[in-house]
Amino acid sequence: MSAASSHPRTGQITVPVDPARRPDVLLRRRLPEGHQVSAWWMIGAFVAVSLTVIGLLNIFPG
């Protein structure tokens, strides 16, 4: 019995890694290549966080 028959060699299969399917990501949408988030989302997030902080500082005065 030869070693070649007991351990046949097979070709390696490359599995493409899709970042949208990673198990450590809870919510992720597939977006087309080169897609960029609109600057208005960042501006809106800044305004929302700023208003929340100002509101909390007014509710709980130092």
Side-chain angles (χ1 to χ4, degrees):
M1 191 186 235
S2 68
S5 64
S6 63
H7 298 292
R9 296 190 72 187
T10 58
Q12 295 213 356
I13 299 173
T14 58
V15 179
V17 177
D18 186 3
R21 302 244 183 247
R22 285 185 4 201
D24 62 336
V25 178
L26 180 60
L27 300 172
R28 183 174 290 191
R29 291 181 8 198
R30 284 189 191 196
L31 300 174
E33 273 304 310
H35 174 47
Q36 292 185 352
V37 177
S38 172
W40 288 108
W41 283 106
M42 298 297 114
I43 294 169
F46 175 77
V47 169
V49 169
S50 299
L51 291 175
T52 302
V53 169
I54 291 170
L56 287 173
L57 287 173
N58 285 330
I59 292 172
F60 303 109

